[in-house]
Amino acid sequence: MNIRNKIDNLKKPFNKGEKWEKFAPAFNALDTFLFVPNHTTKHGAHIRDAVDLKRTMITVIIALLPALFYGIYNTGFQYYSQLQIEYSNIDVIIHGSMKIVPMIAVSYIVGLAIEFAFAVFRGHEVNEGYLVTGLLIPMIMPVDIPLWMVGLSVAFAVFIGKEAFGGTGMNILNPALTARAFAFFAYPTYMSGNQVWVSEASNVDGVSGETILGMLASGNSTLPYEPLQMFMGSIPGSIAETSTLMVLIGALILVYTGVGSWRIMVGSVIGAALTGMLFNLWGVNELMSFNWMNHLMVGGFAFGVVFMATDPVSAAQTVKGKWVYGLLVGLFCILIRVFNPAYPEGVMLAILLMNVFAPTIDHYVVESNVKRRLKRINKPIVNIA
Amino acid sequence: MSNDIKIKNGLTINLKGAAQNIIKKAAHPKSVSLNPSNFHLITPKVVVKVGEEVQQGDVIFFSKNDNRIKFCSPIDGTIKDIMRGAKRKIIEIIIDTDQNQSLKDSKSINFQDLSSEELKSVLLDSGCWPFIKQRPYDIIANPNDTPKSIFISAFNSAPISADLQIILEDQKEEFKLGIKVLSKLSDGNINICVDKNSSTFINEIEDIKVHRINGPHPAGNVGVQIHHIDPVNYGDRVWTLGAEDLAIIGRYFMTGIYNPIRTIAVSGPPVKYPQYYKTIAGTELNKIIDDAGIDLNDSLRFINGDVLTGSKVESDSYLGFYNNTLSVLREGNHYRMFGWIPFINNKVPSIYKTSFSWLFPNKKYDLDTNLNGEERALVITGEMEKVFPMDILPMQLLKECMAGNIEKMESLGIYEVAPEDFSLIDYSSSSKIEAQYIIRQGLDLMISEVG
């Protein structure tokens, strides 16, 4: 327990009534990262589950790692395979890491700095939610986005997306998608088109950075990719969204541990599949006749549904509400893809839209619960406005 | 007649140190206590002075709000101390017991010819009334009410809590007589809930409704049972009693003596001889603790009641009025380096599978009182519903209780819940919220605003 004693010594100036008392949340965040604290139960149940927010958030990060590692590999792979020069796997990984590690660093440094500042300012403990958000933001960006844009998007997401609403647990929109949406609308040339989805595509001739959905949207029906490639993920796209397989591994971890809502995931897949089938029958443009199974594998659909739509704070919170929310995310995702030529990918906007409507969905679920209770007595006692 | 009810949501927590089926007679206590904090929202008006001699059944204090509700001495003795806290609030009344208890004439009380009002006043004067509690609000029943039904849960599902069948084993006649007394107080049913997997003498009792409940904790909570059988609506009053409390009432009518015998299970991982003790409500704990082989040199927590809902007491303190379990846990005031990493620290059962404890569903655990984290904002949704077997939205109700929104609390079902129903939410919450505390605050708000 020597380390423990040292930390307790270091902690002294942060204790109540001492010089740096105000900065205690910042110190506590680091302290509780090293050690689960010695707090014992004060009210209520005298024993407690091993699970806490740190544990659930780290579980989500573990679930993200397969997609992240594949994203690093794929970034290098897309670049080198189009250059048509000799390359080894080491080159591929080095290229990917050089691009992505700095993005993650910027995201964590900027985001955590703001989180710590707000914790000190508001006098509450630092919440662990940003550990996930901070990793998600670089994973859903195009690889060549400048680092300062990552930083700015992070700042926007944390300030406007989260803290303005009261901090962790209060936000209406998913913070990671807020960051992406901010970059998408503020810097469209870096976030869309056919020059951004493969590393260095805008600088090096002979490297094309067009996504499958982009090709389809521009009316191109002969794809250079097989469905197996779409599933494995060796296609252009945002950093970690491409591999449906890796996302599925993450989904298994989330569902298995009980941390992520399987209802939302299954609901979204059903919603998207049904919508996709319907459009397959109709089949007026390329995206409509694109096989519904492939719709589930390309773009950010799988990644968004597994890691973004399931964000417990911004999703619907009731059991039935989660089904409705999931179905509608899937439906709107395909709908936006098919009908909106400006946005070949619809999952981001579909989830953000449903984030906004999640409280409404919950409202109706709660109302039906209240109505069941009122039915037991003959005349209603209260009217809920 | 019996009905089967299946409870799906919940969590069985297997702890080490469940009491074995041995009932010992505890040594005669040197002192006993009456603790007003056992009676929620009762303000005591004490009628005895320090040094005064009292007999078993003599009134010690009554409720200031309703002076018919009396609280009586469980034993012959002398008032040793009336301890007061801030604002002269009475904390505890301690009675030194007489070594030789006087022999009292035993004569049964005829209640068959009494009207329900007369019967109520007999119960009120005897000191038995505080055993009758009411839903909504989980407080001592108001003598002016007529309940629509009466519920008794005849089994415990909380971890390492007392097995009520063992406790009732030698009090069957008292229990049956208690039922007869109660049936005169309500026009509705007497509902007794038993564990589906156990055979009990209760199945053979006539003129009551027996419900056989199957499922994990909180299946034994009377609130859950009421919800599934005869839910409480606005304006309804349902009365509930503990199983042994009913036997105490029965004994009063059998002998004419208020004699609150308590059979308590002393249980918990640090207990060397976990077993049952026959003693008296409010008894001092130290002799029992000593006899059960508990080492006081360890840093331990003693709990009046079960580990999920009980209240913390010191080892030199006293048993509560209602408790059938004395639980003992090790204090968990230690640090764990990187203890938050998933899949290590598999020593705690969990509703999540972020540790491997789910691989061993029958393993018995040695939990301590560590919070295993820190309180955080409400982030994860859906986890409360997994351990809350009622058609009530627990998180929405908790949020309205925090906000103090009376209309919403009412429509979301506040009348049907008691703090104990939220004890598993306390346990399993990843944000470490104090659900029982929040619900108690909400209920108190309802009492003061709606009544």
Side-chain angles (χ1 to χ4, degrees), chain B residues 285-286 289 300 302-303 311-318 326:
Chain B
L285 293 175
N286 47 20
I289 288 170
L300 298 176
F302 295 90
I303 300 155
S311 53
K312 183 182 169 181
V313 286
E314 299 304 320
S315 63
D316 56 358
S317 183
Y318 299 88
L326 175 70

Side-chain angles (χ1 to χ4, degrees), chain B residues 152-196:
Chain B
I152 294 119
S153 174
F155 74 106
N156 274 329
S157 55
I160 57 170
S161 54
D163 182 343
L164 294 173
Q165 295 308 319
I166 294 174
I167 288 175
L168 291 176
E169 188 60 39
D170 60 349
Q171 310 185 62
K172 287 177 188 166
E173 292 312 312
E174 288 90 336
F175 185 82
K176 286 177 191 168
L177 191 67
I179 292 172
K180 287 203 178 112
V181 174
L182 282 187
S183 61
K184 299 208 66 167
L185 294 177
S186 168
D187 304 330
N189 292 320
I190 308 279
N191 299 283
I192 301 191
C193 298
V194 298
D195 186 356
K196 191 179 178 224

Side-chain angles (χ1 to χ4, degrees), chain A residues 33-34 36 256 372-373 376, chain B residues 338 340 358 391 411 416:
Chain A
F33 181 76
L34 285 172
V36 170
Y256 192 68
R372 269 203 301 284
R373 195 160 303 110
R376 294 199 309 236
Chain B
F338 297 117
W340 43 267
W358 61 272
D391 185 23
S411 62
E416 300 186 50

